[in-house]
Amino acid sequence: MSVEPVTTRDYEAHPRSEELQLTKTEIEEISEMLLYEELSRARIRDLEEGVRAQRARGGARAARRWSRVARWAARRAERYQDQN
């Protein structure tokens, strides 16, 4: 048994002869589902935006921390070179 995939292009090229008739309730259910789907996408976008901002702040924080460590290491190296 084989199944051929149907793409949107195939569907548009060969529309069905009978039109799909939806009741008012079905239309409302579909609209509500699409609304929830769009809300979830908006939440995901907000979360991704927050993560990007947090990563940017974290990168700057890491750079400051490593520059402090580098200054400390340079001072320590100077001190030990002066002793020898």
Side-chain angles (χ1 to χ4, degrees):
M1 179 171 151
S2 66
V3 177
E4 293 186 28
V6 177
T7 63
T8 306
R9 186 175 296 164
D10 295 334
Y11 180 78
E12 290 171 352
H14 306 289
R16 295 187 295 180
S17 58
E18 72 279 350
E19 287 297 317
L20 183 63
Q21 297 294 321
L22 296 175
T23 64
K24 184 179 178 184
T25 305
E26 290 171 332
I27 291 172
E28 288 173 357
E29 288 174 353
I30 291 171
S31 298
E32 186 176 351
M33 180 186 68
L34 293 175
L35 176 68
Y36 285 123
E37 187 175 333
E38 184 57 35
L39 284 172
S40 67
R41 285 189 183 130
R43 287 187 189 115
I44 290 170
R45 280 192 300 271
D46 288 344
L47 286 171
E48 288 173 345
E49 198 173 297
V51 167
R52 275 194 296 275
Q54 187 175 5
R55 283 184 183 158
R57 286 192 309 270
R61 188 179 312 130
R64 286 192 305 270
R65 182 173 47 245
W66 282 111
S67 65
R68 279 195 312 267
V69 169
R71 282 193 308 269
W72 171 81
R75 285 193 309 266
R76 184 179 168 116
E78 263 183 47
R79 191 175 22 182
Y80 283 107
Q81 282 180 352
D82 292 340
Q83 286 179 358
N84 291 331

